[in-house]
Amino acid sequence: RETVSNLMHQEITIGKDQGGRINKLQMLNFAQKSGMKIPSTIVTTRKEDVLNFAKIHSKMISKSMDLNFFFSDKKRSKVVHGLTCEILPEDIQNFPDEFPLTMVQENIVKVVELRIFFLENKNYASAIFSQNSGNTIQDYRNYDDDFPNRVLPFNLPTDFEEKINTFKQLSNLKTAS
């Protein structure tokens, strides 16, 4: 009788089972080494660090360090993911002096959100018009069921395709989004 772990490591799978865990800092490093621009980023447990970062970057966001962070909100009957959230100056004032490890990044205001899924040697890109909804302006995954975002196929420029291919080689990922 085969275990689930053994079944997941057979040749028919698309990649390695990492328990769904991806080191986001390592992926940012690979993206930068691939020639992609990345936002200024800190990882901290201290309010003082966020205050100093805010002196340089007036607009900031926080992101989950773990791709699979989520909890069930039974009151609203929905699952809440570790979504991207804007950090406002008044938010920082309410932070405790020390808090759990948090990733803080410069907030890049988007014109349109591009999401690229790759599988082996093929890239699939979509333009998501998420910037016009209060629900999805920071993170398209905070779906707006009443006014869904417009999503269109998108052709990536050749030079960016090359950057993605370099990223794939550095990260050793066979599939990602």
Side-chain angles (χ1 to χ4, degrees), residues 149-168:
N149 296 140
R150 186 172 180 210
V151 179
L152 297 173
F154 187 84
N155 292 321
L156 294 168
T158 304
D159 65 325
F160 198 75
E161 290 259 6
E162 291 169 8
K163 291 174 184 179
I164 292 171
N165 292 335
T166 301
F167 173 84
K168 289 181 215 179

Side-chain angles (χ1 to χ4, degrees), residues 7-177:
L7 290 172
M8 291 174 68
H9 292 287
Q10 291 180 359
E11 289 184 32
I12 59 170
T13 62
I14 300 172
K16 299 178 211 164
D17 173 38
Q18 298 171 331
R21 301 296 190 248
I22 297 290
N23 182 323
K24 286 187 178 180
L25 295 175
Q26 187 178 45
M27 295 302 124
L28 283 171
N29 186 39
F30 291 148
Q32 191 171 39
K33 285 181 176 180
S34 301
M36 297 180 207
K37 292 180 184 176
I38 64 166
S40 294
T41 303
I42 62 169
V43 177
T44 187
T45 60
R46 299 175 344 134
K47 176 180 181 175
E48 181 181 348
D49 294 339
V50 179
L51 286 168
N52 289 332
F53 194 74
K55 290 176 185 174
I56 301 166
H57 305 287
S58 59
K59 293 182 179 265
M60 298 178 297
I61 56 171
S62 68
K63 296 187 86 144
S64 168
M65 293 287 293
D66 186 338
L67 283 175
N68 288 332
F69 167 75
F70 69 91
F71 65 92
S72 179
D73 182 345
K74 293 186 173 129
K75 272 187 176 176
R76 290 186 260 169
S77 299
K78 69 187 244 182
V79 173
V80 178
H81 296 270
L83 302 176
T84 303
C85 299
E86 184 176 14
I87 300 175
L88 302 172
E90 56 269 23
D91 296 332
I92 303 170
Q93 296 310 317
N94 294 323
F95 284 5
D97 289 338
E98 292 192 6
F99 44 81
L101 193 62
T102 302
M103 182 189 306
V104 178
Q105 291 184 310
E106 164 189 18
N107 185 11
I108 308 295
V109 178
K110 61 187 169 186
V111 175
V112 66
E113 188 164 343
L114 294 181
R115 286 288 167 165
I116 299 130
F117 169 77
F118 66 78
L119 177 59
E120 294 287 346
N121 296 318
K122 184 78 173 141
N123 299 321
Y124 304 91
S126 294
I128 304 172
F129 295 86
S130 57
Q131 69 279 5
N132 296 324
S133 167
N135 284 5
T136 61
I137 194 165
Q138 293 301 329
D139 195 320
Y140 86 100
R141 296 170 297 175
N142 191 19
Y143 299 111
D144 188 335
D145 293 326
D146 295 326
F147 301 99
N149 296 140
R150 186 172 180 210
V151 179
L152 297 173
F154 187 84
N155 292 321
L156 294 168
T158 304
D159 65 325
F160 198 75
E161 290 259 6
E162 291 169 8
K163 291 174 184 179
I164 292 171
N165 292 335
T166 301
F167 173 84
K168 289 181 215 179
Q169 291 172 343
L170 291 172
S171 66
N172 199 29
L173 293 172
K174 303 292 183 222
T175 184
S177 181

